[in-house]
Amino acid sequence: MRTLKQYSSMQFMSTVKTSGLAFSPDEERILFTSDASGIPNAHELCLSDRAQRQLTYSLTENVRSVSYFPNDARILILKDSGNRENSVLCVLEPNGKEIILTHGDDVQSFFHRWSLDGRSFYVSTNERDQRFYDLYKIDAYTFDRKLVYRANEKFYCCAISSDERHVLFMKSVRKSDSDIFLYD
C-alpha cells in the first residue's frame, strides 16, 4: 500500500503559483506570471537554454502577463493598483518602460485577442462607466482606439470571430441564467 506524503502548512503556503502562459511569436520564449517573489510579476522562460527571467519587479502591485506583441518585442501586462482586483492594461517595452493604456483607479480591463495581422488588439474596459464594459480595437503602434461596442447593459465580451466581424457577448441574469448575443 502506498503512503501519502504529508506537507506542512509552511510548505503548502510557499508553493509558487504560475499562470498566464503565452508563446512568443518566434516560439522561443514563454511568457508567464509567477508569484515566486512573493507577489505576482511577469516572467519569461527561454526555451533554448531554459533560463528564466523576471520582467517586472513590482513589490506592491499584482502584475499579470497577458501576451507578447506579434510583430516586435513588446509585451502586454495587467497591473492591479492597490491589489483591489482591478486591472490596468499596460505595454511593457523591451527597455522596461511601461505605457498605460487604460487609466483609472477602479478600472478593469480584459484583453481578448490580436487581429490576424497583429497590428491591433481587442480590449474591454469599464473606464467610461464602472458598470459597463465597452469593447475597443486598439492600434498596436499608435495605441489609437476605435470603439467597437458601447455597452449600456452588463454585456461581457466572450469571443471575437477570426474575421473580426462578429462578437459574442454574454449577459448573466444570475448564476443559472445567462444569455448569449451575437453582434455583427
Side-chain angles (χ1 to χ4, degrees):
M1 179 169 201
R2 200 169 120 196
T3 59
L4 297 176
K5 186 173 180 178
Q6 291 190 359
Y7 297 92
S8 69
S9 60
M10 177 78 94
Q11 288 172 306
F12 179 76
M13 297 306 285
S14 65
T15 302
V16 174
K17 296 166 197 70
T18 59
S19 62
L21 302 171
F23 279 101
S24 63
D26 61 7
E27 297 185 2
E28 294 293 323
R29 293 165 290 139
I30 297 174
L31 179 67
F32 64 98
T33 303
S34 171
D35 68 354
S37 67
I39 191 163
N41 273 286
H43 296 250
E44 73 178 353
L45 173 72
C46 180
L47 294 176
S48 62
D49 62 5
R50 305 286 191 254
Q52 184 175 318
R53 181 169 72 107
Q54 188 168 339
L55 303 174
T56 61
Y57 296 89
S58 176
L59 300 174
T60 58
E61 299 174 313
N62 291 339
V63 179
R64 291 178 295 166
S65 61
V66 175
S67 175
Y68 287 101
F69 274 64
N71 300 319
D72 57 58
R74 296 175 296 161
I75 295 171
L76 285 173
I77 59 172
L78 287 167
K79 294 179 79 172
D80 181 1
S81 180
N83 299 319
R84 296 185 315 243
E85 297 187 18
N86 296 318
S87 50
V88 175
L89 185 67
C90 302
V91 175
L92 180 63
E93 295 186 330
N95 64 5
K97 179 182 174 192
E98 292 179 7
I99 301 169
I100 298 172
L101 299 181
T102 57
H103 297 274
D105 290 334
D106 295 320
V107 169
Q108 289 186 334
S109 305
F110 300 97
F111 171 84
H112 296 292
R113 64 165 293 180
W114 287 95
S115 61
L116 286 179
D117 62 7
R119 298 185 56 79
S120 58
F121 54 93
Y122 291 88
V123 173
S124 292
T125 181
N126 67 346
E127 288 173 289
R128 176 185 58 85
D129 185 328
Q130 289 182 359
R131 299 173 299 164
F132 307 120
Y133 291 89
D134 299 327
L135 178 64
Y136 293 93
K137 183 175 185 177
I138 300 177
D139 185 285
Y141 300 98
T142 65
F143 306 126
D144 289 339
R145 295 181 186 196
K146 176 185 172 194
L147 180 64
V148 175
Y149 182 80
R150 182 182 173 111
N152 294 315
E153 294 183 62
K154 290 191 176 186
F155 289 107
Y156 300 96
C157 179
C158 297
I160 300 167
S161 64
S162 58
D163 66 1
E164 302 177 53
R165 179 177 172 190
H166 298 98
V167 180
L168 285 178
F169 288 97
M170 181 180 68
K171 183 178 181 185
S172 292
V173 179
R174 57 187 165 275
K175 286 184 180 181
S176 62
D177 184 7
S178 297
D179 298 315
I180 298 175
F181 294 86
L182 177 65
Y183 180 71
D184 187 347

